[in-house]
Amino acid sequence: MSLFSSLSVSASGMAAERARAALLVENLANAETTRTPEGGPYRRKDAVFASEPVASPFGSAFANAIGAEGTGVRVAEVLEDSSAPERRYLPGHPDAGADGYVAFPHINPVEDMVDLMSASRNYEANVAAISAVKDMISHSIDLLK
Amino acid sequence: MLDPVAGSLERYMDLLAARQKLVASNIANAETPGYRTVDVDFEQEFRSMVAGAQPRAVEVTGLDINHDGNNVNLDREARMLAENGLRFQVAEALLKSKLTEMREAISGGGGG
């Protein structure tokens, strides 16, 4: 039944939004990080989504035989901000350069908070879709009673 | 086995399930750059659909496209989600009454 693959579609949406929220939270946590293993300040990360046909956990040949094609989503790539870091004059800071400036990440917490809200809303929308489909499935099962 | 009405109901429910899947796709891709909202042409598919045929997904026109080429409108999808669920429930209730009718005919109206 094609309804079951709708669950996979919504689940892929939930996974993608969750991955994005994880990156946004990482950005917020590292808003003032001046040291990273790669050297230099932390760089803002963001997810780019791409649509993708869903793989059904059940036999795909059977699943594809019924119903219109559904499209899931995945995180295609994680982009790192390449803009120049913000320079602050802090001569006493251990990471200060010879000129007394410290490179800080170019992060605007407001921007990340707004994106985080949108990721959370989209996650909820996917949850709503799952519960609607779940209702339809359980109603079909009621036909047997 | 059952009458033509039951056959139509079955097709109707199949089509609703297919449509709900597209709504789920639209919601999952609400932030995918370049993704366009898809739906089935419900009336036309319902008229022309023969048992076992696959409904075709078509792009929805008339929606605002935002800066990254995506035109998913979550309000539209929420409405479709609720509407499909309710329509499915109605069809399910009707089909259930057909089945009950058949069962009663088999058991002799409860007297036997």
Side-chain angles (χ1 to χ4, degrees):
Chain A
M1 185 182 219
S2 75
L3 274 177
F4 285 102
S5 53
S6 309
L7 294 177
S8 309
V9 170
S10 297
S12 76
M14 286 167 72
E17 295 297 349
R18 188 190 286 266
R20 177 154 182 254
L23 291 176
L24 293 169
V25 170
E26 193 182 317
N27 291 339
L28 284 170
N30 286 290
E32 303 271 317
T33 303
T34 55
R35 276 180 213 175
T36 53
E38 306 86 50
Y42 175 85
R43 290 190 178 275
R44 183 178 192 274
K45 292 180 185 143
D46 204 352
V48 180
F49 290 171
S51 47
E52 171 187 65
V54 285
S56 166
F58 194 52
S60 54
F62 180 70
N64 291 340
I66 316 166
E69 192 81 352
T71 332
V73 67
R74 71 188 162 91
V75 177
E77 60 178 320
V78 175
L79 282 185
E80 277 202 9
D81 179 18
S82 57
S83 63
E86 194 182 308
R87 285 158 57 80
R88 290 186 208 160
Y89 185 63
L90 292 168
H93 197 285
D95 291 327
D99 56 359
Y101 279 93
V102 183
F104 275 89
H106 199 86
I107 286 175
N108 178 1
V110 177
E111 189 186 335
D112 282 305
M113 284 309 294
V114 170
D115 284 353
L116 196 56
M117 277 165 66
S118 124
S120 152
R121 290 288 171 268
N122 283 316
Y123 186 88
E124 282 172 28
N126 279 297
V127 172
I130 284 204
S131 85
V133 170
K134 215 176 71 187
D135 277 354
M136 282 168 81
I137 293 175
S138 64
H139 277 112
S140 321
I141 294 170
D142 281 349
L143 279 175
L144 299 173
K145 288 180 188 158
Chain B
M1 174 100 180
L2 294 168
D3 61 11
V5 176
S8 297
L9 281 173
E10 186 190 330
R11 251 198 348 258
Y12 183 62
M13 286 167 87
D14 267 350
L15 211 47
L16 283 173
R19 189 179 222 189
Q20 197 73 311
K21 188 167 160 187
L22 295 178
V23 171
S25 301
N26 293 339
I27 292 175
N29 285 287
E31 295 203 330
T32 306
Y35 181 87
R36 298 296 169 91
T37 304
V38 284
D39 197 0
V40 287
D41 184 347
F42 205 91
E43 212 174 307
Q44 193 225 320
E45 291 289 345
F46 185 68
R47 272 181 224 274
S48 65
M49 202 173 151
V50 274
Q54 293 200 25
R56 271 171 305 120
V58 289
E59 271 187 19
V60 178
T61 52
L63 292 171
D64 291 339
I65 299 170
N66 68 14
H67 59 89
D68 60 1
N70 183 306
N71 72 349
V72 175
N73 179 342
L74 273 185
D75 298 322
R76 174 192 183 274
E77 303 310 323
R79 196 207 104 200
M80 297 293 284
L81 199 64
E83 186 184 319
N84 284 338
L86 290 171
R87 282 178 186 273
F88 198 86
Q89 272 187 45
V90 171
E92 187 262 343
L94 291 171
L95 190 55
K96 195 168 188 171
S97 77
K98 287 277 166 204
L99 289 171
T100 312
E101 216 171 78
M102 178 62 72
R103 204 169 284 151
E104 274 175 14
I106 292 170
S107 65

